[in-house]
C-alpha cells in the first residue's frame, strides 16, 4: 500500500473521531500524522513499528494503526466508528467546504443521512437554520453536489433546460434557414437526461456538417458520419444529427420516440414513408392519431391512437390552485400572506393550500398542536381579508413508523385537507414500506398521499413499495396521489400515472413550495404529468375553487359523520 491511501485512511479515521466527538487532542494528532505520511520521502510500507514510531509527527499510537492497516487491510478503531455511522454521512464528509463538525450538525440536528437529502435541504433553504451555516455555505454545498452529479453524466431536466434552449438558439443563428428541433429524451420531457439530441435539416447536408464541426457551439467536437457529437459547457453530451431538409421530419420522428415506439408505429404503415412533410403525416399513414412527443415511450398510447382516444393532456392553464406548500410557520421562506398574494396576483390562481410540516418534523420547525391552532386563526383572518381568493387549512402530516399520522383525531379533523408523507425511517423492505403507506391511506383523515416513494432523483432511490397495492388502496379509500412537482422528486413516477387513472384515482400536481418562486415548479409537474398521460378531469388542482371546496367537504363530512 502506497503512502497516499494510508494517509487517506488515517484522515478518514480522524474525521470519524471528530464526527463522534472523541478526544480533540487525539483527533488533531492523527490528522497531523495523516498529513505527514502523505509527504514522507520514503514508503511507509515495509518499515517496522520501531522505525515508524521514530518518524517525527507519527508516534507510537499512529505507528500501530499503520502497521495494523498494512497487515490486516483495515483499522479496528475505524471499522467500529464506521459501524456507528450511516454510509451516506461518511460520503458527506467528502464534500468540499464542510468538515466533520458541520456534518455532525447536518446529521444529528437536521436528521439528514445522505447527500441526496442534503441537496434537497439546500433547495428548501433548511441549512441556514442550523448553527454555523449561512446562505453562502448552503449555496457552496449545493454547487459542489451539482458538480458531482454532472460528473456522472446524468442531469435533471430542470438543470439543463435553459442551457439546452440557449444551444438551440445558437444553432438557429448559425443556420437561419434550417429546420432545427430537439429530439430524444429532452423532447420527451424525461426527468433525467443523459444526452441532448438535436435534428438539423439543411439544404446541403455536407456543408451544414462542416460548418457545425468548425463552429464553437460545442466542446470536444467529434464528427461521426452525419452526426456531430460534443458537450455543452455544463458537461452534458450533445449529438446533432444533420440531414437534408426533405428527410427532416422522418429523422425527427425516428430520433424522438424510444426504439419500441418508433418500431411499432412504422410497422403499421402500408407504404414506405420516405420524405414526409410532417410527423403528423407519419402517424396518419400508420392509421394513428398524432402522438405528442412526451407520450412516445413504448406502445402504451399507440392502441388509443388507433381509435382516436388519446387523452387531452393537462396544461398549465388548466390549474386553478396549488396545494402542499410551506410558509415561515415551518421551514418556508415567505409568510402565508406573501404566498397567498403571489398566487392570487402573480399566478392568477383561485386558491392556496397551506401544508406546513407536522410536529414530528422537528428539523423543519414542525407545528405543535398549539401552533396549528395559531396558524389556523391567522388563515381565518386572511380569508376575510383577501378578495377573490381562498386559503385552505392543510398540514403535511408525517407518516410514522407504524403508518399512523402524528396528530390525534381531534386535531386532524380541524384541517380542510391533509397531505400524508413519509420523511423518516426510509430503510424498510417492500412489504413493511407498503403496509406502512396503506395504513396511512386508510386513515379517514388522509386526503392526499404525498411524494409516495420519497425519492430524490440522482441522489436517493425511493423506498421500495408495491405500487399496485398502494394505488389500489388509494382508489378504495378515495385518497388522491400527489405528483410532487419539485424537479428533484417528480414523485409519483410518471410510469404509474396510467395505472392510477385506470383505477379512478385523482392526481394532484403539487409544487411543495417553500418560497414564492417554488410555485414555478408546477411547470415541471405539468411536464411529467403530461408524460404520464394526465388530463384535467382527473387533476385535483384543476378543479375550480367551488369544486375543490366541495371535494374537501365531501371527504371531511364522511369522516365527521
Amino acid at each position: 500500500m502506497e503512502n497516499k491511501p494510508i494517509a487517506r485512511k488515517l484522515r478518514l479515521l480522524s474525521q470519524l473521531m471528530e464526527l463522534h466527538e472523541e478526544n480533540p487532542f487525539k483527533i488533531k494528532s492523527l490528522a497531523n500524522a495523516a498529513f505527514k505520511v502523505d509527504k514522507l520521502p520514503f514508503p511507509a510500507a515495509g518499515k517496522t513499528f520501531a522505525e515508524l514510531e521514530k518518524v517525527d509527527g507519527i508516534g507510537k499510537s499512529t505507528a500501530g494503526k499503520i502497521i495494523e492497516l498494512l497487515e490486516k487491510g483495515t483499522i479496528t478503531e475505524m471499522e467500529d466508528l464506521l459501524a456507528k455511522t450511516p454510509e451516506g454521512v461518511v460520503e458527506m464528509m467528502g464534500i468540499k467546504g464542510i468538515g466533520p463538525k458541520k456534518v455532525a450538525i447536518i446529521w444529528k440536528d437536521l436528521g439528514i443521512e445522505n447527500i441526496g437529502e442534503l441537496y434537497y435541504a439546500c433547495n428548501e433553504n433548511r441549512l441556514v437554520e442550523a448553527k454555523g451555516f449561512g446562505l453562502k455555505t448552503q449555496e457552496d454545498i449545493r454547487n459542489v453536489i451539482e458538480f458531482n452529479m454532472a460528473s456522472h453524466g446524468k442531469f435533471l431536466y430542470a438543470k439543463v433546460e435553459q442551457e439546452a434552449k440557449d444551444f438551440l438558439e445558437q444553432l438557429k443563428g448559425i443556420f437561419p434557414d434550417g429546420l432545427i428541433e430537439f429530439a430524444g429524451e429532452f423532447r420527451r420531457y424525461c426527468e433525467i437526461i443523459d444526452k441532448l439530441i438535436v435534428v438539423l435539416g439543411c439544404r446541403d447536408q455536407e456543408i451544414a456538417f462542416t460548418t457545425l464541426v468548425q463552429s464553437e457551439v460545442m466542446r470536444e467536437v467529434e464528427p461521426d458520419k452525419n452526426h456531430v457529437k460534443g458537450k455543452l459547457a455544463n458537461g452534458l453530451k450533445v449529438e446533432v444529427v444533420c440531414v437534408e431538409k426533405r428527410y427532416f421530419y422522418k429523422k425527427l420522428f425516428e430520433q424522438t420516440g424510444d426504439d419500441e415506439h418508433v418500431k411499432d408505429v412504422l410497422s403499421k404503415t402500408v407504404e414506405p414513408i420516405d420524405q414526409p412533410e410532417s410527423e403528423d403525416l407519419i402517424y396518419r399513414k400508420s392509421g394513428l392519431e398524432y402522438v405528442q412527443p412526451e407520450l412516445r415511450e413504448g406502445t402504451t398510447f399507440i392502441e388509443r391512437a388507433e381509435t382516436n382516444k388519446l387523452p387531452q393532456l393537462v396544461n398549465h392553464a388548466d390549474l386553478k390552485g396549488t396545494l402542499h406548500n410551506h410558509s415561515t410557520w415551518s421551514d418556508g421562506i415567505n409568510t402565508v400572506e406573501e404566498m397567498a398574494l403571489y398566487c392570487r396576483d402573480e399566478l392568477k390562481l383561485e386558491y392556496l393550500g397551506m401544508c406546513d410540516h407536522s410536529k414530528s418534523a422537528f428539523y423543519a420547525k414542525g407545528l405543535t398542536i398549539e401552533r396549528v391552532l395559531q396558524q389556523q386563526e391567522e388563515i381565518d383572518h386572511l380569508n376575510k381579508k383577501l378578495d377573490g381568493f381562498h386559503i385552505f387549512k392543510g398540514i403535511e402530516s408525517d407518516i410514522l413508523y407504524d403508518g399512523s399520522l402524528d396528530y390525534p383525531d381531534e386535531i386532524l379533523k380541524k384541517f380542510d385537507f391533509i397531505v400524508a408523507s413519509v420523511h423518516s425511517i426510509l430503510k424498510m423492505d417492500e412489504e413493511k414500506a407498503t403496509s406502512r403507506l396503506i395504513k396511512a391511506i386508510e386513515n379517514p383523515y388522509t386526503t392526499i398521499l404525498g411524494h409516495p416513494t420519497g425519492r430524490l432523483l440522482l441522489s436517493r432511490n425511493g423506498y421500495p413499495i408495491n405500487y399496485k397495492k398502494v394505488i389500489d388502496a388509494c382508489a378504495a379509500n378515495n385518497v388522491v396521489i400527489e405528483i410532487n412537482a419539485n424537479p428533484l422528486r417528480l414523485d409519483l413516477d410518471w410510469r404509474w400515472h396510467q395505472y392510477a387513472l385506470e383505477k379512478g384515482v385523482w392526481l394532484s400536481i403539487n409544487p411543495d413550495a417553500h418560497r414564492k418562486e417554488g410555485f414555478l415548479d408546477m411547470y415541471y409537474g405539468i411536464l411529467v404529468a403530461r408524460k404520464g398521460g394526465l388530463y384535467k378531469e382527473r387533476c385535483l388542482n384543476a378543479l375550480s375553487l367551488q369544486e375543490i371546496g366541495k371535494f374537501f367537504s365531501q371527504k371531511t363530512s364522511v369522516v365527521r359523520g
Side-chain angles (χ1 to χ4, degrees):
M1 184 179 291
E2 296 181 357
N3 289 352
K4 280 193 178 295
I6 294 173
R8 282 198 293 268
K9 292 290 186 182
L10 295 175
R11 191 175 300 112
L12 175 59
L13 176 55
S14 71
Q15 291 174 325
L16 288 167
M17 291 169 67
E18 188 173 359
L19 181 71
H20 290 279
E21 300 178 334
E22 298 201 0
N23 189 304
F25 177 78
K26 290 183 178 180
I27 294 168
K28 185 176 181 180
S29 176
L30 191 58
N32 289 337
F35 179 81
K36 184 69 177 182
V37 170
D38 191 29
K39 303 300 180 183
L40 286 176
F42 56 83
K47 296 294 182 181
T48 65
F49 172 82
E51 289 172 324
L52 289 172
E53 180 188 7
K54 294 176 183 178
V55 175
D56 181 47
I58 292 183
K60 184 176 180 179
S61 176
T62 303
K65 290 177 174 61
I66 294 172
I67 293 298
E68 183 184 9
L69 177 62
L70 292 171
E71 291 179 351
K72 299 181 179 180
T74 188
I75 302 171
T76 302
E77 186 178 358
M78 185 172 68
E79 292 302 321
D80 291 343
L81 290 172
L82 285 172
K84 298 191 295 183
T85 314
E87 184 178 343
V89 173
V90 178
E91 290 177 2
M92 282 194 283
M93 289 196 295
I95 297 175
K96 184 179 179 181
I98 55 173
K101 288 182 179 178
K102 279 189 166 64
V103 172
I105 293 171
I106 291 168
W107 173 28
K108 296 175 182 177
D109 293 356
L110 300 181
I112 294 170
E113 292 193 352
N114 59 56
I115 291 176
E117 293 172 359
L118 177 59
Y119 184 53
Y120 187 72
C122 288
N123 282 278
E124 287 188 328
N125 219 48
R126 193 181 298 163
L127 255 64
V128 296
E129 301 290 336
K131 182 181 178 181
F133 289 83
L135 282 171
K136 185 179 186 305
T137 302
Q138 178 176 268
E139 189 61 25
D140 289 344
I141 292 171
R142 175 168 34 209
N143 290 338
V144 171
I145 296 174
E146 287 181 354
F147 178 81
N148 291 339
M149 285 180 180
S151 69
H152 291 93
K154 294 180 182 292
F155 296 80
L156 298 177
Y157 178 93
K159 291 297 179 183
V160 298
E161 183 181 26
Q162 190 56 53
E163 287 91 340
K165 290 180 177 179
D166 290 344
F167 175 69
L168 197 73
E169 289 305 310
Q170 286 180 295
L171 290 181
K172 289 179 178 180
I174 298 171
F175 304 99
D177 297 324
L179 296 173
I180 307 172
E181 184 57 83
F182 290 119
E185 299 166 330
F186 190 84
R187 192 175 181 219
R188 297 201 307 271
Y189 298 138
C190 293
E191 63 271 45
I192 296 173
I193 308 295
D194 292 314
K195 178 171 63 175
L196 184 67
I197 298 177
V198 176
V199 178
L200 167 62
C202 285
R203 182 177 301 172
D204 191 314
Q205 177 184 346
E206 291 186 9
I207 292 177
F209 180 81
T210 303
T211 301
L212 189 58
V213 170
Q214 294 174 348
S215 73
E216 297 182 352
V217 294
M218 291 184 287
R219 300 178 178 183
E220 302 176 31
V221 175
E222 178 186 339
D224 182 14
K225 297 181 179 179
N226 67 325
H227 294 212
V228 180
K229 300 177 181 179
K231 291 183 178 180
L232 297 185
N234 63 3
L236 177 63
K237 293 179 182 178
V238 180
E239 185 172 330
V240 181
V241 184
C242 301
V243 296
E244 293 181 34
K245 277 189 175 181
R246 55 184 174 154
Y247 300 120
F248 175 79
Y249 288 105
K250 184 176 183 182
K251 184 60 69 175
L252 180 62
F253 165 76
E254 292 172 344
Q255 291 289 328
T256 295
D258 69 5
D259 291 343
E260 186 181 11
H261 181 89
V262 171
K263 182 179 179 181
D264 196 62
V265 172
L266 294 180
S267 71
K268 299 180 184 299
T269 58
V270 179
E271 58 186 65
I273 305 172
D274 188 35
Q275 301 175 33
E277 298 175 354
S278 67
E279 287 184 298
D280 182 54
L281 183 62
I282 296 174
Y283 283 99
R284 281 194 280 117
K285 291 215 169 191
S286 300
L288 303 170
E289 182 184 358
Y290 177 75
V291 178
Q292 295 286 348
E294 52 265 52
L295 298 181
R296 301 183 199 176
E297 303 275 357
T299 60
T300 300
F301 290 95
I302 289 180
E303 184 177 337
R304 298 184 198 184
E306 288 181 304
T307 55
N308 290 319
K309 291 182 179 179
L310 285 173
Q312 186 70 37
L313 300 178
V314 66
N315 60 59
H316 207 281
D318 292 327
L319 302 188
K320 305 302 180 187
T322 170
L323 306 170
H324 187 176
N325 304 289
H326 300 264
S327 72
T328 49
W329 279 93
S330 62
D331 58 345
I333 301 301
N334 296 105
T335 65
V336 176
E337 183 172 13
E338 288 170 340
M339 300 282 269
L341 290 173
Y342 185 83
C343 287
R344 186 191 70 176
D345 300 338
E346 301 297 326
L347 302 181
K348 309 303 180 185
L349 297 175
E350 298 177 6
Y351 53 86
L352 165 69
M354 287 310 308
C355 287
D356 278 299
H357 285 286
S358 60
K359 62 179 183 178
S360 296
F362 61 89
Y363 54 84
K365 297 192 300 181
L367 275 60
T368 61
I369 291 176
E370 182 182 9
R371 295 181 69 228
V372 165
L373 300 177
Q374 290 172 348
Q375 186 193 52
Q376 292 195 348
E377 186 177 341
E378 178 185 315
I379 290 174
D380 285 336
H381 171 73
L382 288 171
N383 277 331
K384 293 176 182 177
K385 175 181 174 182
L386 297 172
D387 293 328
F389 193 82
H390 188 79
I391 304 169
F392 287 103
K393 302 170 188 172
I395 196 76
E396 185 177 19
S397 184
D398 267 29
I399 299 174
L400 303 180
Y401 179 80
D402 64 354
S404 59
L405 304 186
D406 63 345
Y407 289 116
D409 288 355
E410 59 265 27
I411 296 301
L412 292 175
K413 69 183 181 182
K414 292 181 179 294
F415 296 104
D416 294 319
F417 73 108
I418 291 170
V419 176
S421 306
V422 170
H423 288 106
S424 61
I425 316 176
L426 304 180
K427 296 176 183 177
M428 291 183 172
D429 60 33
E430 182 179 302
E431 183 179 359
K432 175 59 182 173
T434 301
S435 64
R436 179 189 191 184
L437 287 186
I438 290 176
K439 182 174 178 181
I441 291 165
E442 291 175 344
N443 187 309
Y445 293 99
T446 298
T447 315
I448 301 173
L449 176 63
H451 43 73
T453 72
R455 75 180 188 181
L456 296 174
L457 295 169
L458 295 181
S459 304
R460 181 181 75 195
N461 292 330
Y463 39 88
I465 62 170
N466 184 312
Y467 281 91
K468 288 187 176 181
K469 286 185 177 179
V470 169
I471 292 170
D472 290 349
C474 287
N477 292 276
N478 193 28
V479 169
V480 180
I481 300 180
E482 171 178 270
I483 301 174
N484 191 292
N486 186 307
L488 280 167
R489 290 192 182 273
L490 300 179
D491 184 18
L492 178 73
D493 190 303
W494 61 266
R495 296 163 184 82
W496 288 97
H497 292 184
Q498 280 302 298
Y499 184 81
L501 293 171
E502 288 166 4
K503 292 293 181 177
V505 176
W506 287 76
L507 301 178
S508 184
I509 301 171
N510 297 342
D512 199 353
H514 286 69
R515 57 176 66 82
K516 291 187 294 185
E517 294 78 10
F519 291 121
L520 303 180
D521 283 346
M522 286 194 291
Y523 165 77
Y524 299 107
I526 286 286
L527 297 187
V528 79
R530 289 173 62 88
K531 190 165 183 60
L534 179 62
Y535 40 93
K536 72 175 183 179
E537 289 79 11
R538 273 287 158 182
C539 179
L540 183 66
N541 55 315
L543 294 176
S544 68
L545 173 57
Q546 183 178 2
E547 290 169 333
I548 200 166
K550 184 178 180 181
F551 184 97
F552 289 153
S553 294
Q554 288 175 338
K555 175 78 175 179
T556 54
S557 64
V558 171
V559 178
R560 295 166 184 166

